[in-house]
Amino acid sequence: METREKILHAFREQVARHSELPASVIALCEPLGMSERDFYNEFGSLEALESAFWEELVAKTIAAVESGAEWEGFDARQRMLAFLYAFLEKSLDVRTVLLFRFRHLSPVASPEWLQGMERRFKGWAFSLIGKGVSNGEIAGRGRLVVLYPSALYLLLRSVIDFHVKDTSPRFERSDAYVEKSVNLAFDLMRTQAIDSAFDLLRFLAPRACGKS
Amino acid sequence: MGEQTTLRSSRLGRMAAFAGTGARVGMNYLKHYGQRCVGAPQDENLLHERNAEAVYKTFSELKGGPLKLAQMLSIDQGLLPDAYASRFAQAQYSAPPLSYPLVARTFRREMGKSPLEIFDSFSETAAHGASIGQVHKAVKDGRAFAVKVQYPGVAESLRSDLRIVKPVALQILGVRESDVEDYFREVEERLLEETDYKLELQRSQELSAASSHLDGVSFPRYFPELSCRRILTMEWIEGLALDRFAKGSANSEERDRIGQALWDFYEFQIHTLRFFHADPHPGNFLVRDGGLVVLDFGCAKKIEPEFYRRHFRFLDERLLDDRDALLSSLEDLSILLPGDTDAYRSRIAGLCAESIEILARPFRKGFFDFSNPTFMRSIYDLGERNRRDENLRGFRGRRGSPDSIYVNRAYFGLYSLLHTIGARVHTRLPDWLRES
Ligand SMILES: Nc1ncnc2c1ncn2[C@@H]1O[C@H](COP(=O)(O)OP(=O)(O)OP(=O)(O)O)[C@@H](O)[C@H]1O
């Protein structure tokens, strides 16, 4: 294993077994026979380490779905669905860590340790939106199209939120939630309903929308 | 893609929807299962035709469990006004499609492989919807398969739907829970069984093997190695749905042949096998090359010998002339209870005599023309009259046997299918009722 992988692995073990974050870089590295220097060669801080951990979960999910046989034929909606199902599947390997970190986190909170995941996902979602616009699934004229990746990120976070609270057998309710929420999101983006709502809001309360 | 737009999935959402129209339906639903002979209070306007639309809408929005209940109602044409019955009969065609990624996920989770790793091709959109799943068409080595995939979480939402519908229904009906508990348990058990495709596979194989000698009836082949709890794979059948066949241009000879096949199939299952396909709605049969193909053994029911003897005594018209025998048969089935008053006993006896007369008609001459509208009409009328009968309201006690629910359902379904087909069939009472 590379140093980087070893540290990421140790992080996961630590959180999963003890339900707490590593107390310090030393505490994490010593049992691995590594020095602080080794650690800082890879990560700038413990937050950066955790950020990389969650980013990697998203990156691996993307790699897995994009290598699937059906991927090329999928439209944007199906790609989003495939991503979320694959994400739920992958997250089963780190469920304890997921529970520990997300159970009490608001789906709209944006802590330091999620920056990597957010960046990585939004980058991917940006090209997804591009595909949706080019094949007509998403209305491309709206001013808010640039914000759609953020909307999809919010959707991902709401799925995680639902999933960590789900106790149904085999988490079947999470599957149903993904199905329904993705359908709703794409229906809204297709009709520019989000833009229209924003437009109305801006008309009624210009200040709230950043226009004085 | 025509995927669903609005779906009320939260418990609260379902609750709200039920509070509106579910109450009405719960009542009708209980009505049937609360025994044909047993009437119950009913507000006339609740059954007004325009409610059919509202009730139907609620059900089809909720999908899953409630849609199943709606289908059970649709079969019960004897007790539902026409407007309801025909609305609900359409329910089986209007379930929401699952997205292909979810189908693929179900495959990966249940079989460890994606659809395309198993089949050479697999239709991304469903060929047919159904109440708790959808059917895809797949091809492997040049052979076509029908692959039924179940919606996630169906079994669970079914349980909670029933929990919601029950108290509402009980309250409006003014029935005590203890009086109808058995009926609810029976329906719940059967509905839950339908969510287990492994069980369905096993029954399909058993029942089709046992019935393979019947003329004009055939079954798809099933593939256990391609099936599991949530996925059921069978041979693809290229055929005409039974309701299309009925509406189509088939001549009377063709109609009679399909009708006869249907009749023989049920007669054999109920009176010989004593284990039967309890879901005779038009979506579960196809017509291919002039023969009948039977699909979907999700809902199957076993008849215990004791119950069999007690229940089918009522096919015997000699009971009509023998009042004591009639009363004791009613006691055997606990439709009459020891404490009942004489007035009540004779009221029930009268009603039962009437229904025996009607329901046994197809057997009387050994040949029966189901296209005759007066026959179906008199079944509806009988149900309608029972429903309105003031005297039948408000009596208590556990009556009848929950086993009769599905037997009655099968017969109602069979009679109304034969009527829509417009078939004339040869009939025959079981031997033990003909002799002695
Ligand atoms: N082997 C098959 N070949 C072709 N079509 C089929 C086959 N099996 C099922 N279908 C089609 O799919 C529809 C739904 O199938 P089926 O009745 O088995 O599903 P279900 O979930 O049990 O639904 P329901 O309870 O509403 O009957 C059928 O009405 C029929 O049109």
Side-chain angles (χ1 to χ4, degrees), chain B residues 68 131-132 148 150 187-205 207 222 232 234 269 275-281 284 294-302 406 409:
Chain B
K68 271 272 164 215
S131 49
I132 58 167
K148 194 152 86 164
Q150 195 174 107
V187 171
E188 183 169 68
E189 252 172 49
R190 294 282 92 71
L191 287 177
L192 286 176
E193 274 179 15
E194 284 193 62
T195 63
D196 183 355
Y197 285 173
K198 261 193 195 145
L199 186 67
E200 178 169 344
L201 174 81
Q202 182 201 330
R203 283 171 169 173
S204 308
Q205 290 182 307
L207 267 168
Y222 288 84
L232 181 63
M234 63 196 127
Q269 293 177 97
F275 187 58
F276 65 101
H277 179 282
D279 198 8
H281 77 67
N284 285 339
V294 186
L295 309 168
D296 190 6
F297 286 90
C299 184
K301 169 82 187 156
K302 195 170 161 47
Y406 285 90
R409 180 179 180 214

Side-chain angles (χ1 to χ4, degrees), chain A residues 68-70 73-75 77-79 81-86 88-89 92 163 166-177 179-180 183-184 187 190, chain B residues 1 3-11 14 97-106 108-110 114-116 124 151-157 229-230:
Chain A
E70 301 103 333
F74 279 177
D75 60 22
R77 181 193 297 236
Q78 287 171 316
R79 287 181 178 194
L81 285 165
F83 170 87
L84 289 172
Y85 291 133
L88 290 182
E89 191 61 41
L92 291 182
H163 186 56
D166 188 3
T167 54
S168 62
R170 298 184 182 208
F171 306 117
E172 283 182 346
R173 283 182 61 81
S174 296
D175 286 356
Y177 179 75
E179 190 85 350
K180 286 158 199 189
N183 282 338
L184 176 63
D187 284 348
R190 190 187 55 221
Chain B
M1 257 189 301
E3 272 154 305
Q4 73 261 46
T5 44
T6 51
L7 255 161
R8 274 176 274 197
S9 62
S10 73
R11 217 179 126 87
R14 282 172 184 258
L98 286 183
S99 73
Y100 179 70
L102 183 49
V103 171
R105 169 166 171 76
T106 309
R108 250 178 248 117
R109 185 158 58 187
E110 302 277 329
S114 74
L116 285 184
E124 279 199 8
Y151 299 143
V154 157
E156 214 207 355
S157 67
R229 222 163 44 106
R230 298 284 184 251

Side-chain angles (χ1 to χ4, degrees), chain B residues 307-344:
Chain B
F307 170 74
Y308 176 83
R309 201 181 42 73
R310 289 181 173 161
H311 186 87
F312 286 101
R313 279 228 54 193
F314 290 97
L315 276 184
D316 189 348
E317 286 189 286
R318 283 168 299 189
L319 281 182
L320 296 180
D321 307 322
D322 186 344
R323 202 181 155 75
D324 289 340
L326 178 61
L327 287 174
S328 79
S329 300
L330 288 170
E331 276 159 12
D332 278 349
L333 257 186
S334 13
I335 289 173
L336 285 180
L337 299 177
D340 291 331
T341 63
D342 279 348
Y344 178 66

